[in-house]
Amino acid sequence: MKLLVAEDQSMLRDAMCQLLLMEEDIEGIFQAKNGKEAIEMLENQSVDIAILDIEMPQKTGLDVLEWIRSKDLPIKVIVVTTFKRVGYFQRAVKAGVDAYVLKDRSITELMNTIHTVLAGRKEYSPELMESIMSHENPLSKQEENVLKLIAAGMTSKEIASQLYLSDGTIRNYTTSIFTKLGVNNRVEAINKAQENEWI
């Protein structure tokens, strides 16, 4: 089988490719240092599987995945990442990723993943499934609305006026948001909610 490995850290990419080439069923590997290069290669080369890092310059692994699916190419896509960000995972699944796994795995485990997707099955790291389960949005719809307006730089008074509520009610919502998110101030609340894509 032929692979494309797209990874912006050259040492990691080289090491991964050398180890994969030692596997008997790997015929050849194309290497890309960013998402744009990966797409250019895929336009000219036929590969069975694309192994993509997420955070790369110019275009991300998720951009490459979405491009592959938009072209309806018969390529299996494995995303390997150090990030347990729920938003990334959800976007990858929505785009039809075949496997989404963390980088801290052995080549043997990666080969198992390759054979899993070639057999037409999906594979997602259990750690990611756990993080999704534990990242359910704790905020109510109204609390989300309040926090969005806080993020837009509005004061409690301005938010109260916009939502037709009293200033005291908005302050109560704000306190509730801080408690649910386990934060101490507006900036922390905004950062946490945006990281988890709750707002």
Side-chain angles (χ1 to χ4, degrees), residues 1-4 25 27-28 30 42 45-51 73-77 98 114 117-118:
M1 74 185 89
K2 289 186 179 171
L3 308 180
L4 167 78
D25 42 1
E27 294 166 46
F30 301 101
L42 291 170
Q45 306 291 345
S46 173
V47 304
D48 301 293
I49 294 182
I51 299 173
L73 298 173
I75 296 172
K76 299 290 184 185
V77 179
D98 295 287
I114 286 171
V117 301
L118 282 175

Side-chain angles (χ1 to χ4, degrees), residues 1-5 12-31 51 106-108 110-111 114-115:
M1 74 185 89
K2 289 186 179 171
L3 308 180
L4 167 78
V5 173
L12 181 61
R13 186 179 68 247
D14 289 344
M16 189 192 291
C17 291
Q18 281 173 17
L19 290 167
L20 283 168
L21 279 168
M22 291 164 72
E23 299 291 327
E24 58 184 42
D25 42 1
I26 305 292
E27 294 166 46
I29 301 178
F30 301 101
Q31 295 190 39
I51 299 173
S106 67
I107 288 297
T108 305
L110 184 55
M111 282 305 300
I114 286 171
H115 290 300

Side-chain angles (χ1 to χ4, degrees), residues 35-78:
K36 183 170 175 285
E37 204 172 89
I39 288 172
E40 286 166 1
M41 283 186 182
L42 291 170
E43 285 178 317
N44 299 304
Q45 306 291 345
S46 173
V47 304
D48 301 293
I49 294 182
I51 299 173
L52 310 172
D53 181 29
I54 287 190
E55 296 210 336
M56 294 187 288
Q58 298 184 322
K59 284 191 180 295
T60 68
L62 295 175
D63 292 332
V64 179
L65 163 65
E66 287 164 351
W67 179 86
I68 289 169
R69 295 300 181 243
S70 74
K71 300 291 179 189
D72 217 14
L73 298 173
I75 296 172
K76 299 290 184 185
V77 179
I78 297 171

